[in-house]
Amino acid sequence: MSSVVRRLVVTGRVQGVGYRISCAREADRLGVQGWVRNLADGSVEVVAAGPPEPVEELTEWCRRGPRGARVERVAAGPAADTDFPPRFEILG
């Protein structure tokens, strides 16, 4: 089975609303590996790896985010990372 690695940068009101923990829970539910972290500019970065369908489902979830978030934009592209922990992680 093929897998993809995608990097997302999510902008809007996405910090201070539980975005990272909600994203990690959704990724775990979907069986997606990778990580999520806050960026200094107020956006959130997500790197997701796994089969194409679950990664796409997580990407769609990122476009909505958790209750309280107001996602304005999701920039998606390939990611260079290839070494992931067994579970989706929340970084610093």
Side-chain angles (χ1 to χ4, degrees), residues 3-82:
S3 70
V4 296
V5 182
R6 184 174 293 161
R7 177 181 180 260
L8 310 170
V9 177
V10 186
T11 58
R13 192 173 89 206
V14 293
Q15 290 190 15
V17 294
Y19 195 99
R20 290 179 304 157
I21 194 161
S22 297
C23 181
R25 286 180 183 149
E26 185 67 9
D28 281 343
R29 185 186 74 77
L30 293 168
V32 172
Q33 292 178 290
W35 49 263
V36 60
R37 68 178 172 182
N38 285 340
L39 296 178
D41 66 1
S43 62
V44 170
E45 180 180 26
V46 179
V47 173
E53 188 174 309
V55 171
E56 184 58 36
E57 286 183 51
L58 183 63
T59 300
E60 287 305 311
W61 181 91
C62 287
R63 294 184 200 288
R64 295 183 309 274
R67 170 179 260 156
R70 190 182 72 240
V71 176
E72 294 175 0
R73 182 169 189 266
V74 176
D81 289 346
T82 57

